[in-house]
Amino acid sequence: MSLRLGIIGCVLCVAVSVCAQSERQTRKVHLDRVFDCSAERTDAVVDMFIYALQTDINSLFSWAFLGTGDQGDPKGKDAVSIHYTGNEYDPETRSGKLFFNINVFGRPWFKNRELGSVCSDSIVDGTRYLRLDITYSGALLQAADGLFHTTAIDAEHTRVHFEINVILGRFFSAFVTNKMWKDVAVWRIEKMIDNIKEFAETGTVTARENEK
């Protein structure tokens, strides 16, 4: 299935038409939210999200990635897409691999790409630290990690700190400006976290009109 960018796609495919040498750069998004639900419920939904990222990313477009698919000029919003071709997952090590092509105008420009991930978590002083380390087989992305820190405030409220840190390859670093990162990636990541929050609180995510 060929899908619009979503979250992983947006950090892989800001653009694919320029290739130049430059220093690698790191891009970050750090967010804080209070979920109106228990820490147990919050952790269960975060676990479900991470597991889907590693095993069935298509399922996330119905809730966590809902409303993140469209961006920019409507005539060109589907120019770049991700075509997932398979995955592997080891539940004992909580490590996975996603296999895909990056399509441009319906044609595979980057074939047989692989996105690896390893999940780890720990609890320190009442805060759960969940981390997903990501590696990529091509030159667009050198490495990335995503982190969820969840802390119970009381029985019905949980403090959540989320981070994503992306080390771009030289291909991306050549042309990803601050504005481009904000316009293409940041709002999608913010929307994703708000969707996860809504799902944890209500069990569903509502599609809304006039979203970016």
Side-chain angles (χ1 to χ4, degrees):
M1 179 181 291
S2 182
L3 298 170
R4 290 194 292 270
L5 300 186
I7 303 304
I8 289 181
C10 76
V11 298
L12 291 175
C13 305
V14 175
V16 293
S17 60
V18 178
C19 185
Q21 294 297 316
S22 73
E23 294 300 319
R24 292 182 176 90
Q25 60 176 273
T26 300
R27 294 286 175 174
K28 302 179 180 182
V29 179
H30 294 187
L31 301 170
D32 291 287
R33 298 286 189 271
V34 173
F35 285 26
D36 295 330
C37 57
S38 68
E40 291 77 11
R41 170 62 180 173
T42 299
D43 287 340
V45 172
V46 170
D47 284 340
M48 182 173 68
F49 170 72
I50 296 295
Y51 181 73
L53 273 180
Q54 295 185 285
T55 62
D56 184 19
I57 198 169
N58 290 344
S59 67
L60 293 174
F61 286 84
S62 66
W63 66 284
F65 293 169
L66 189 65
T68 68
D70 297 331
Q71 171 67 16
D73 181 357
K75 294 182 180 179
K77 66 187 178 184
D78 293 326
V80 181
S81 61
I82 303 295
H83 183 83
Y84 295 103
T85 58
N87 72 281
E88 296 177 358
Y89 182 70
D90 183 344
E92 292 187 2
T93 60
R94 300 180 73 180
S95 60
K97 294 180 181 179
L98 294 175
F99 306 102
F100 55 91
N101 298 329
I102 300 176
N103 296 344
V104 181
F105 296 114
R107 296 184 177 183
W109 278 33
F110 299 92
K111 297 181 180 180
N112 304 318
R113 297 306 185 186
E114 177 183 310
L115 197 76
S117 61
V118 178
C119 182
S120 59
D121 69 88
S122 60
I123 298 176
V124 179
D125 296 331
T127 294
R128 186 190 186 200
Y129 296 86
L130 183 68
R131 179 185 179 100
L132 188 69
D133 287 292
I134 298 170
T135 57
Y136 175 61
S137 62
L140 301 178
L141 178 68
Q142 180 175 327
D145 59 67
L147 303 96
F148 282 92
H149 301 168
T150 61
T151 308
I153 299 173
D154 55 37
E156 298 180 353
H157 300 88
T158 305
R159 181 175 293 108
V160 177
H161 175 74
F162 172 77
E163 299 181 11
I164 185 166
N165 305 290
V166 179
I167 303 176
L168 302 175
R170 285 193 171 93
F171 184 97
F172 261 5
S173 296
F175 55 83
V176 177
T177 64
N178 290 335
K179 183 178 186 304
M180 183 180 294
W181 174 251
K182 181 178 179 180
D183 288 349
V184 175
V186 173
W187 76 267
R188 284 186 167 93
I189 295 167
E190 291 175 344
K191 176 61 179 171
M192 178 191 74
I193 296 302
D194 289 340
N195 284 348
I196 293 172
K197 179 178 185 293
E198 182 179 352
F199 190 88
E201 294 171 350
T202 69
T204 189
V205 177
T206 303
R208 295 174 175 85
E209 296 181 358
N210 301 320
E211 289 181 321
K212 280 189 174 182

